[in-house]
Amino acid sequence: MQHREHTVDVAVVGGGQAGLAAGYFLRRTGAEFVILDDRTEPGGAWNEYWDSLRLFSPAGHSMLPGWWMPEEEGQAYPSARHVTWYLGEYERRYGLPVHRPVHVEGVERVRGALRVNAREGSWRARYVISATGTWRAPRVPDLPGRDLYRGRQLHTVDYRAPEEFAGQRVVVVGGGNSAAQILAELSRVARTTWATLRPPRFLPDEVDGRALFAIATRHQNAARDGGPLPPGVGDLGDIVVVPPVREARERGALKAEPMFDRLTPTGVVWSDGSSLDCDAIVWCTGFAPALDHLAPLGLTDGRGRIPVEGTRAAAEPRLFLLGYGDWTGPASATLIGAGRTAKTTVARISDSLAAGG
Ligand code: FAD
């Protein structure tokens, strides 16, 4: 691709599931658009999840708009590799104009448009959909002593498989799904300690991704209709009890300790003075939205987010944010939920384009 300025109606930044869902609906509007993704292969963050990761839901409940995810042979809950394959097939099937690898360095305002800048070129777009996910922005708490600790520190994004920790003493930090799933397998080969800010909250065993989506939808509909609000997903718990988590819990491997206060060169120390030496600390402490490319627009708030109305940036009507979490649409950061917010987002853009905006 030569470096020159292209002109499009819509530029989508990010070609993971959220960007593809937007592409599916944009295709149907007849708008000129492009999807810019900085990976060499399709699949977004699914390429980098740990080896054993499986979906929370069966294939039939993990689909992008238009095409059901085919089942993975012999697997009720598909693997991350299968999702990567599905997303690659999906973009081919719908002929989505994904340009790779193109890393968007910045988005800036120009007269009557936004300009999306990358080393490979720039795109002058009337609307930009940012769909860059969270995987590129891992979060680690800034505890005293982090730089003193001489063992290994890694985040969820660095973890692939348990074997390299065999026989080691490992501390896993965080009360969410990543921590519980990584612990479930690490505890088979390593001596593990689980540290969480508050006692872990397991969802009822029968709740999988399907049920979560139904709960999120009921909650959203009630909020829209102004009726009494049924419990949302967050009210029920944090951790989906997938089969390896259930097995580990039954084995007694999922007993949590309170969060420690600081690190020393050899381990961690709690507020009561007790301490533990360890070979590694796995920070399963979450993610922020990956929004560095939007910094030139000056929209980001103190939490690293951009205030939105629906998915539209409150202070920049040409910018939409898709797939980052419930704040950009309930369940929008899931495979099955991405389509719903992509549809309403593209409808708003299409209306604005038709009105000459
Ligand atoms: P991503 O998949 O991260 O895609 C964003 C794309 O944008 C990437 O290709 C990235 O390289 C690219 N990009 C980023 N910055 C730039 C830039 N500046 N320029 C160009 N390209 C850029 N959901 C489910 O539905 N079911 C599950 O079972 C499930 N399990 C999950 C397990 C884990 C461990 C995690 C972390 C999430 C899970 N999710 C699950 C949630 C969600 O489906 C995934 O996080 C999904 O990958 C999010 O898709 P996305 O398109 O928003 O972001």
Side-chain angles (χ1 to χ4, degrees), residues 53-342:
L53 183 110
R54 302 210 162 273
L55 289 189
F56 293 143
S57 317
H61 288 80
S62 308
M63 59 175 292
L64 290 185
W67 183 44
W68 293 85
M69 183 190 293
E71 298 212 342
E72 183 176 15
E73 211 182 313
Q75 305 291 346
Y77 291 79
S79 64
R81 199 169 332 122
H82 185 69
V83 180
T84 305
W85 166 83
Y86 168 69
L87 295 178
E89 291 299 307
Y90 186 89
E91 58 181 67
R92 272 189 286 282
R93 184 182 183 99
Y94 294 111
L96 298 179
V98 187
H99 296 257
R100 300 198 161 84
V102 175
H103 178 70
V104 171
E105 278 150 11
V107 176
E108 61 181 341
R109 290 186 188 90
V110 290
R111 209 148 52 96
L114 293 174
R115 186 159 55 216
V116 175
N117 296 314
R119 220 182 31 225
E120 295 81 358
S122 58
W123 286 262
R124 187 188 166 89
R126 291 160 76 187
Y127 295 94
V128 168
I129 298 177
S130 185
T132 46
T134 59
W135 191 252
R136 288 281 166 77
R139 242 201 294 243
V140 176
D142 194 17
L143 286 184
R146 265 203 63 208
D147 49 340
L148 299 177
Y149 177 64
R150 290 197 300 262
R152 183 166 170 211
Q153 295 188 60
L154 61 164
H155 186 272
T156 310
V157 298
D158 308 305
Y159 175 83
R160 293 311 287 236
E163 288 74 26
E164 58 181 308
F165 300 95
Q168 296 187 2
R169 165 66 74 181
V170 184
V171 175
V172 177
V173 186
N177 287 296
S178 304
Q181 289 188 28
I182 288 174
L183 260 169
E185 62 181 23
L186 262 184
S187 58
R188 295 188 147 277
V189 301
R191 287 169 299 146
T192 51
T193 299
W194 190 11
T196 59
L197 270 179
R198 58 178 181 178
R201 301 187 312 146
F202 294 95
L203 284 154
D205 285 9
E206 66 281 7
V207 172
D208 69 0
R210 279 174 294 197
L212 289 177
F213 185 65
I215 292 164
T217 303
R218 267 201 304 276
H219 194 79
Q220 182 190 22
N221 291 346
R224 185 199 54 209
D225 300 341
L229 284 186
V233 171
D235 301 318
L236 297 178
D238 300 314
I239 298 169
V240 182
V241 184
V242 294
V245 168
R246 183 179 314 162
E247 183 277 326
R249 196 182 54 186
E250 282 162 10
R251 195 161 26 93
L254 296 188
K255 297 211 172 77
E257 304 290 337
M259 187 56 199
F260 49 85
D261 266 11
R262 61 188 173 91
L263 285 76
T264 65
T266 55
V268 299
V269 182
W270 279 268
S271 58
D272 65 2
S274 58
S275 64
L276 179 78
D277 284 352
C278 56
D279 302 296
I281 301 174
V282 189
W283 299 100
C284 300
T285 40
F287 305 87
L291 299 179
D292 284 356
H293 58 296
L294 300 177
L297 298 174
L299 300 168
T300 314
D301 67 13
R303 290 189 300 167
R305 295 181 179 180
I306 291 180
V308 284
E309 285 158 9
T311 53
R312 193 173 218 152
E316 176 46 75
R318 296 192 182 277
L319 176 68
F320 291 78
L321 291 109
L322 214 57
Y324 293 99
D326 287 348
W327 63 282
T328 54
S332 65
T334 63
L335 278 158
I336 194 161
R340 186 163 58 190
T341 34

